[in-house]
Each structure stands twice: as structure tokens, then as C-alpha cells.
Amino acid sequence: MKNISAKPDSPFYHKWKISLGAKFAALVAFILVITMGTVATYNYRIENSLSLESLYSKGRILGKFIASVSPQPILSYDFSTLNDYVKKASHKEDIIYAVILSPDNDNLTSYLNHDNGYIHSAIEKPGQYTISDIVNLVNQDKSVIRMTFPIILEDQNLGMVEIGISRERIDSLSRKQLLKLLFWNVIIIIFLDICIYIIFRRSTLQPIRELIQGSDRVARGDLEHKVAVGASDELGTLTISFNEMIGKLNTSTREKDQALTELQELNKTLEFHVEKRTQELKSANKALKHIALHDELTGLPNRSLIFDRLIQAIRMSIRRQEPFTIMMMDLDRFKDVNDTLGHDVGDELLKDVGTRLKNSLRHIDTVGRLGGDEFAIILPGVGEEYAITVANKLVHIFNEPFEQNGISLSIGTSIGIAIFPQHGDDTLTLLKRADVAMYVAKNDNCGYFVYDVAEDKHSTQRLALMGDLRNAIQNDELVLHYQPIIELSSGNIIRAEALVRWIHPVRGLISPVDFIPLMEQTGFINMLSQWVLNSAFRQQELMSSSGYKIGLAVNLSIYNLKDPEFAEKLFELLESNKKHLGNLVLEVTESAVMADSDYVTNTISRLKKMKVKISIDDFGIGYSSLSRLKKLPVSEVKIDKSFVTGMLTNKDDAVIVKSTIDLAHNLGLKVVAEGVENQESMDILIALGCDMAQGIHIAAPLEIEQFFDFVTKIQSSKRKSQI
Ligand code: C2E
Ligand code: CA
Ligand code: CA
């Protein structure tokens, strides 16, 4: 809002600052001067013309009188009388001269009043003057009134009387009068002006001044002040309006102030929110950056950041002329934890692993998660020797079990090590080679492995195998071997486990350990399982037609059980081989059975209804929950061969074997021990009450013909011993 006390910007304002009172007084004075001046002038004119008129009539009277008395002396040539007349006339007030002229304009008189100022000054002018000359000179003066009167006697022109009258006295009298008048006028004007000014000041200026003072106070912010209302004239009305206006202004200012305060409050709140929002955005941005470069679950650097750090490590190593190490590691049996205990436990485990890794490394080292259970570690400035020390340390930290939900989880790890620059000088090569080394470490179950070119060839072969898998079934390259399973109490062969082999046209016999994971990865596993089941049923047919009462065990992958499409195919297949179902055992790993999936549970229940037995394979290495095991419709557990082979030398393994047998029996399940490699193991198992056994001590997996030979041999030796 514009400051109402501010003076106008016009430069004239200061230059011509004349008060309203002065202007008014000047105006009044001007009007009075004009009015009274006009009146005075008018008076002067009237006065003057009246005086002139009296002068004229004086002249006329005198002239006419002389003209009336002059005929006689003219006719009698009595010039002295005529001179007397003019002399008397010439001494009258205002009369300058009087002359009597003949009709021929000759002077009949000779008297001139030499005392008269006009005559005197005319005579004083140089030259010889006649009366006529003197009269003419006098007449040239503008203040001289020349009047002529004919002298007529009975219509006879006898001449004329000429009188010169001075208007000087009259004019000066009038001027004096006028000056006097003007003097008084001025006095009156001053007096009137002062009176009018005083009245004007009281009636007008005072209220205006108060209004101005009021405005000034308003301008200074005093909106409470009220200007006293004087007379009930326009100024009074203006004062009332002014007071009302200030009142309204006061109210609106208060409202405005209030609104302003509210606005300021709002502004503050807004600023606060904006600031808060900015902070939130900043943190969101930071968080986004973090998310983009970090693994959401563990908070560790993700694949992108690991690549970035690798690039930095390469640059640094080149600059400092020193090596660095990249490690790739994954967790052994992590999949089992995930499948049996659920993803939440799996997630927590990954976090714990991340924390343990970080805590056991230097702050300049990078621990990142590549995905799944795969981690990468970058050790700047570290060569092969120290890398092995670190790898040993890392393997060691996994010896301590991870506590999750009250369960103690023993997790192993396989670490692949690649060193810059000897194993590669770019990120991809280094990562690929660390991966190859990790694969070897996993396969050989040796904890860690430093990259070796020879092993890389192996891994290349692995990739090539993937391509060949597609045709393996169609080309009839797969065969089944059968490994007998005996009943420990009787020594009878009660079942054979079908174990697949791949006779590769170039590479020869390939172990299922090498191609089953590939099949699981590529989705060929469904096809394989169907093929195995079909072949097994045909084998079953053959055996029963040959009079052997031997059951068959077929391995199923967890991927089969989780796939609804496969389950339908499986049921179709079982439906068309109904008569063999009582002799069929499906081996599924512990993690597959424990998978917290209704679908898997339903499938297993349906299989049980069809009299197909379910055996939990590799029991003991996973994390079975006892309560879940109870609910599942499984028939038996197969103790993992690692415990069976280890039980002779390792107390823990022996405890596991014993407690598994007891536990299974308590739950009404049969127990199979696999990996029985010697009689000693056999004896212990018999002593522990194990139901069945399988292993190379009894027989290795055999080709079908050998298997038949074996069965025949066993049966005939049994018969012999019975005889
Ligand atoms: P698995 O089901 O645990 O099979 C038993 C493995 O132990 C077989 O290895 C067998 O040759 C081996 N074995 C037998 N006796 C002994 C012994 O006394 N000591 C030791 N240390 N090992 C013994 P194989 O045939 O190489 O099979 C390896 C794995 O491949 C199997 O383990 C199974 O998980 C998988 N597999 C084999 N055939 C199939 C199949 O047809 N379908 C599926 N899904 N998996 C299969
Ligand atoms: Ca098996
Ligand atoms: Ca097994």
C-alpha cells in the first residue's frame, strides 16, 4: 500500500509550496482589489466627467455671457470694455484666456493673463508672438478645453468669443481623490482580507488541518485516532466520511494484519512442509540411489555397484602396480533352507551371511550380493597368497551355525577366486573366472578354489553339454542303472533304485550329478522323469514276468513336484500302470517334501492314495521340521550317504544316523541307509534297527543284465543256504 503521508512526487510541490490560507487570502485580496479598483476607477471616471461637465458649463455660462454683452461694445468699437470683459473672465478659476474675435478672426481684444501658467510658458517660448499665436500655442496643450461662442446680434455675426479652459485642476483634484480612495481601499482590502482569512481559517483551514493531522497519524499507523467533527458543512461531512473511512481502514487493517499473521503462519507451515518435503525428496533420492546400487535385502552393493567397484579396483591396481582379488561365493544347501523353512528364514540367513562377511573383512574390501545365494568380494591390493588366507578365514566363519527361528543352520560355502591381472584384466573375464573357480570349489566340496585354466575347460564343456541335452532322450543316449536295496532283517533284495546315466556320443558316460542340475535349469527334467518312469515300468513288467518280486525306486526332482503340468502327466502315467503302483517308491529330496506348498502336499497325498510310496531322499542334510514330517504322507526316509559313510569315524554322524532311525520309527516310517560301503557299517545299521540298506558293499548301480545276474545270484545263494 502507498504511504498516505508521502508527499506528491511533483517537483512543483516543493517549489511552489503555498499554503491554502495564503492562496485563499491572495484570492480574496485579488478579488477585492479588482472589485474595489474597478469601483474606484469607475468613481474616478464619474467624478472626473462630472467635474469636466461643470467646467464646461462654467465655460458655457461665461462664454454665453460675454457673447451676449459684447455686441454693443463691438458695434461701438469699444475695445477697452471688450478687454475688460475678457480680463474679468480670464481671472476666473480654471479660465486660461478669453478672446473676442471678429468674423475675420481678427483679435478684438488684447488682454491675456500673463500670470496664468499656460500663457506664461507660451510667452516664454522664443519668438515674437501675437495674441493669436499665444492662444494657438496654449491650445496645443491637451489639458486645454477650447470653447467658442458666436456673437450674434439679430442674425448678424459680429464675431465670436473664444475661451480656453484648463482641466488641470479638475484632473489633479480627481487624481488626488482617486489616490485617497485607493488608499482607503487598500486599507479596507487588508482589513477585509484579514477578517475573511480569520473566518476562513477557523471554519475551513482548522478542520482541514485536523484532517491533515489525522491523515498523518493514520500514515504513522495510528488508526484509532478520530478527527473532531466541527461544523455541519461539507467539511464536517468530509470529517465524518474520513473517520468512517479510517474506521473501515482500521477494521480492514486489523483483518489484513490478522490475515497477514495467518498468512505468515501458513507461510511458515508451508516453508516447514517444503523443507520437510525437500528433505524427504533428498533422502528419497539418496534412498533411490542406494536402492539402485544396493541389494534390497542385505543392503550390500548389488551387481551394478560390484561392476563399478571392479572397474575402480582395476584402475587402482594399474596405477599402483599391484594385484587385487575377486571372490565369488555361494552357499551350500541354501536352496534347502529356502524350500524347507521358507523364504523368510532364507532371507534372514542371507542378511546374517552378509553381516558376517562384512565383519570379517577390511573396510576397504567390498562385499556385494550378485543375486540368490551368490556373493562377490573384492579385495583391493590382495594377491593369491593372501587371498587364500582370506578364503580360509571365510570358510571358517561358516563353521559356526547360523541361528534362525531357534533352529541352528549349518551352511557351507564355496568360494571361487580370481586374481587381477593374472586371471584376467577386465571385469567380465575376472567375474567369469571367479565363477568357474567357484563351480569347481562346489563340485569338489573343497571350500575354495583359485582359478585354473584346466578347470575352465571343464566348465566350457558343461556349457556344451547343455546344448547336447536337448537330443539326449530322442537319440536314446540315456540308460538306467539299477542299484539293489536289501532288507536288513532278511537280506532280501526288495527294491532297486533306478539311476540314470548319459552315454554321450563323444564324452562317454556322464554322471547324473553333472547333467541333472542342467536339466533342472533348462526344464528338461520333466521329460527325463517321464522317460525314467516309463523305462522303470517296462523294467517292472519284465521283472514280474520273470517271476521276480522286486520293487522299483525312481528319483523325482523338486522341479517336477512343483510343476502342475508334470503332476497331471505323472498321474496319467501311473493310471495306465496301475498294477505296478504297489511296488513303486518315489524318492524325493527332503527339501522337496518340506517345501511349504499346498500343491506339493496335495500331490504327495494323491500319490499315497494311489498306493505309491514316498521316500525322503538325502534325509539329514536339510532342515526338516519334525511337526511337518509328521503330517506328510511319506512312507520312509533315506539317510543321506554322507552320514552313513561318516558314522564310523564321526561321532556326530553316528548320532544323526541313530536319532534318524529312532525318530522315523517313532513316526511309523521305514528307514533306508544309503552309502553302505562296508560290513562294519552294515553291522551298525542292523544293530540300530535300520530297515533297509543300499550301497556299493551290497552292489554298485548295475546295468539291467548285471542286475538280473546279481538278483539271480543272491536268490540262488539264499535258496542254497536255506537247504
Ligand atoms: P541319490 O538319489 O542319492 O542316489 C544315490 C547315489 O549314491 C547314486 O549316485 C549312487 O551311485 C551313489 N552310491 C551308491 N552306493 C554308494 C556308496 O556305497 N557310497 C557312495 N558314496 N555312493 C553310493 P549317482 O547314480 O551318481 O546319482 C547321483 C544323484 O543323481 C542321485 O543321488 C540322484 O539325486 C540323482 N539322480 C540319479 N538318477 C536320477 C533320476 O533318474 N532322476 C533324478 N531326478 N535324479 C537322479
Ligand atoms: Ca535317490
Ligand atoms: Ca540319496
Side-chain angles (χ1 to χ4, degrees), residues 93-121:
E93 199 177 25
D94 302 324
I95 304 296
I96 304 166
Y97 66 88
V99 287
I100 298 168
L101 301 168
S102 71
D104 305 326
N105 262 348
D106 291 330
N107 262 316
L108 299 181
T109 55
S110 59
Y111 181 78
L112 283 175
N113 182 7
H114 286 251
D115 295 337
N116 188 284
Y118 291 91
I119 306 288
H120 190 74
S121 55

Side-chain angles (χ1 to χ4, degrees), residues 497 499 555 587 617-618 638 674 694:
E497 182 179 2
L499 294 161
N555 292 285
E587 291 190 7
D617 205 354
D618 302 342
K638 227 175 155 182
E674 62 176 9
Q694 171 186 4

Side-chain angles (χ1 to χ4, degrees), residues 494-515:
I494 58 159
R495 198 190 299 157
E497 182 179 2
L499 294 161
V500 70
R501 271 100 184 87
W502 182 7
I503 319 286
H504 192 276
V506 181
R507 295 199 180 102
L509 190 98
I510 299 175
S511 159
V513 179
D514 289 332
F515 68 88

Side-chain angles (χ1 to χ4, degrees), residues 162-389:
E162 186 182 319
I163 293 176
I165 307 168
S166 163
R167 49 183 292 177
E168 198 184 56
R169 187 188 60 87
I170 297 295
D171 281 349
S172 101
L173 210 68
S174 294
R175 267 198 302 277
K176 271 182 193 158
Q177 205 78 25
L178 179 68
L179 281 174
K180 218 163 135 189
L181 200 67
L182 283 175
F183 170 76
W184 283 112
N185 271 356
V186 167
I187 298 293
I188 290 166
I189 285 169
I190 290 169
F191 176 72
L192 279 178
D193 204 22
I194 289 168
C195 290
I196 291 170
Y197 176 75
I198 289 167
I199 294 165
F200 176 72
R201 193 187 148 103
R202 283 213 180 140
S203 65
T204 308
L205 283 184
Q206 192 57 30
I208 289 176
R209 216 164 264 156
E210 278 175 21
L211 277 171
I212 291 169
Q213 281 169 1
S215 308
D216 274 350
R217 289 176 79 152
V218 170
R220 284 198 300 274
D222 178 7
L223 296 176
E224 301 297 335
H225 177 73
K226 288 261 179 292
V227 179
V229 181
S232 56
D233 54 9
E234 285 88 340
L235 274 173
T237 315
L238 178 65
T239 310
I240 292 168
S241 303
F242 178 80
N243 284 339
E244 275 176 11
M245 188 182 81
I246 298 310
K248 281 183 187 161
L249 190 67
N250 195 6
T251 319
S252 69
T253 306
R254 252 190 248 136
E255 285 171 1
K256 191 199 78 188
D257 283 352
Q258 202 180 336
L260 209 71
T261 316
E262 282 169 17
L263 199 72
Q264 276 168 349
E265 286 296 314
L266 278 174
N267 221 13
K268 267 187 203 160
T269 323
L270 192 73
E271 269 173 20
F272 172 74
H273 282 300
V274 168
E275 180 63 22
K276 203 174 137 204
R277 201 90 190 98
T278 315
Q279 282 308 325
E280 279 173 5
L281 276 173
K282 270 187 193 165
S283 5
N285 222 5
K286 220 171 149 189
L288 268 178
K289 259 189 193 166
H290 189 85
I291 288 169
L293 296 174
H294 291 83
D295 169 48
E296 204 181 335
L297 179 69
T298 57
L300 296 174
N302 63 12
R303 190 173 278 273
S304 327
L305 192 53
I306 292 166
F307 263 87
D308 199 53
R309 297 265 168 95
L310 259 180
I311 293 167
Q312 284 176 29
I314 292 173
R315 282 187 196 144
M316 181 94 81
S317 287
I318 291 170
R319 206 182 315 137
R320 294 189 179 166
Q321 296 281 302
E322 60 180 23
F324 81 87
T325 297
I326 165 84
M327 287 183 176
M328 225 172 188
M329 60 185 286
D330 81 0
L331 309 179
D332 300 341
R333 297 194 299 279
F334 174 74
K335 215 164 73 62
D336 293 344
V337 174
N338 240 0
D339 292 340
T340 40
L341 301 177
H343 290 283
D344 289 349
V345 177
D347 286 354
E348 287 307 313
L349 178 65
L350 288 174
K351 280 194 215 169
D352 281 2
V353 168
T355 315
R356 254 190 219 186
L357 288 174
K358 256 171 85 175
N359 291 345
S360 50
L361 293 168
R362 305 169 301 177
H363 76 276
I364 55 161
D365 300 331
T366 299
V367 181
R369 185 175 166 222
L370 291 166
D373 60 347
E374 266 188 5
F375 292 83
I377 294 167
I378 301 166
L379 307 170
V382 171
E384 184 170 338
E385 202 178 322
Y386 187 57
I388 288 170
T389 313

